[in-house]
Amino acid sequence: RTASSTRFSTMASDPFTLQFCVDDNLRIFARMLACLDRVGKDLYLEASGGQVSLRTLNAAQSAFVKFHLRPDFFAEFVLEPNASLSMKVYLKNLVPIFRSVAGVSKVWVQVASGEENYLRVQQECSSGLRKKFDLAFEEVTMINAVYSPDSCLNCLTADPMTLLACLNNFPPGLAEVTLSAGADALTLRNDPDNIGLDDQKDVGLRTELSISPENLHAYMPNPASSGVSVTFSLREFKALLSLVKELEHRVTLRLEAAGQPILLSSEPRSQTGAPFSVESVLATVVEAASLGDEDDMFGDEPADEPMPFAPHGGAPPQQQQQRQRQPQHGPSLPLPLPRPPQQQPQHGPPLPLRDAFFDVDAFTAALTSGPKFSTLTAAQQAVAREKVQSLRPAFEEELAALRATRGQGAAVTVVDIREMMPRVMARAARAAT
């Protein structure tokens, strides 16, 4: 036993609830943290029964990623008897420590909880140099995604390189991509009407690629269906594919229907298995089923004019899920995930709180002022206005939550409204069911 491993073993007397050492799998551990950093801003770490899970959730609550590390992933693992740990640490503080591990032979991670809470990272370099980092953390209730793999009747397994090569043909900055699983091929395409690019010069460019089943490791579409198409955020999808590629695993996708999440997992190429597993849940966009075309009921953007509001009571009318796009903010329909307690920063010019927001004309005009709304027929516009009015109870609940967080009389910005829309749509969907 080396001196370094003896030093770690004698740490049982130190006030650490959790201690583990990573050596052979250090690069994999660093890549996992980098992937989590591309998806969310907080790392949720849970330890129990000799196993560790690393999770994160993006700001729009539309992408959930989980890495499950089994005991043989670690060189050493020490957890206090009958103890369990659930904590949250800021990824921007943790990831730089693992950004360059080329000259690092071992890393110890130690968590102290009690009178003083901190996470300690110690690195042993091949040159003999030792580094120590102490980070603050917060004890939290663990988050988890709610989904059922058994309900996904469309399944495919592919080399991540195949999918990444296809995605590289799309314009840079694309926010969303549509994946269609048909009987004869797998298709990837973008929506030219809502391309969501930072550089608007490529608006209107349509790209579509088809992958034959022969180029996939496994392809099992639902035989009872003519096909399924789902639209989701491209940023998190590419981050996960890049990680699976670096792990030299295959990627498995399970699809159910538009509006239902995509389930992503990895599987090793060899039969020996791996000491870890990768799971992800990506939300998908919901189409407005009552409209007979692809038009966005609310238009491209929310109204630029200030939208004053104040929550009021009222009996909730019949509610349905609608399609709502938010370029660069992930898919529109959030997953049914517990919301981590955190405050959203304010941006942009403040909007005063006024009772006039829920006036029928003002509220409807604020959300149906896009150019596409004017292209609908009179009957379609009437249906759209009715559906917008049905969102009022969900808006009231979100505004009440925002007031509870920021205080009575707090200003609300246009960016707040845009970030609020996915949660409003989720509340309306849950109320309708």
Side-chain angles (χ1 to χ4, degrees), residues 388-403:
V388 168
Q389 281 295 305
S390 73
L391 297 177
R392 172 174 171 167
F395 258 112
E396 291 175 336
E397 294 175 3
E398 282 297 325
L399 298 178
L402 186 144
R403 272 189 167 180

Side-chain angles (χ1 to χ4, degrees), residues 362-419:
F363 178 73
T364 305
L367 296 181
T368 58
S369 57
K372 289 190 176 182
F373 183 79
S374 61
T375 65
L376 301 179
T377 66
Q380 289 174 329
Q381 289 185 7
V383 171
R385 288 192 180 94
E386 181 181 353
K387 293 182 180 298
V388 168
Q389 281 295 305
S390 73
L391 297 177
R392 172 174 171 167
F395 258 112
E396 291 175 336
E397 294 175 3
E398 282 297 325
L399 298 178
L402 186 144
R403 272 189 167 180
T405 300
R406 297 186 181 175
Q408 186 73 16
V412 180
T413 68
V414 172
V415 174
D416 289 326
I417 297 294
R418 292 178 181 175
E419 292 179 350

Side-chain angles (χ1 to χ4, degrees), residues 309-315 354-359 392-393 395-397 399 403:
F309 60 92
H312 291 284
R354 285 194 234 148
D355 294 348
F357 180 72
F358 283 117
D359 174 74
R392 172 174 171 167
F395 258 112
E396 291 175 336
E397 294 175 3
L399 298 178
R403 272 189 167 180

Side-chain angles (χ1 to χ4, degrees), residues 24 40 59 102 119 144 171 182 229 242 266 272 332 336 349 384 406:
D24 294 340
L119 182 146
N144 205 355
S229 295
S242 298
S266 72
T272 56
S332 305
R406 297 186 181 175

Side-chain angles (χ1 to χ4, degrees), residues 219-234:
Y219 187 63
M220 295 172 286
N222 184 6
S225 172
S226 58
V228 59
S229 295
V230 292
T231 302
F232 52 91
S233 175
L234 183 58

Side-chain angles (χ1 to χ4, degrees), residues 50-106:
Q51 305 183 49
V52 172
S53 68
L54 311 174
R55 318 180 195 202
T56 195
L57 177 70
N58 69 347
Q61 300 189 21
S62 58
F64 173 82
V65 181
K66 172 185 175 182
F67 301 117
H68 187 75
L69 312 180
R70 291 188 280 273
D72 51 343
F73 183 87
F74 307 102
E76 292 190 50
F77 186 95
V78 178
L79 181 64
E80 287 186 349
N82 302 320
S84 61
L85 180 70
S86 180
M87 54 172 279
K88 178 178 74 172
V89 64
Y90 193 47
L91 277 166
K92 293 298 183 185
N93 294 337
L94 181 62
V95 170
I97 300 175
F98 293 88
R99 185 158 291 156
S100 178
V101 294
V104 179
S105 56
K106 291 183 179 181

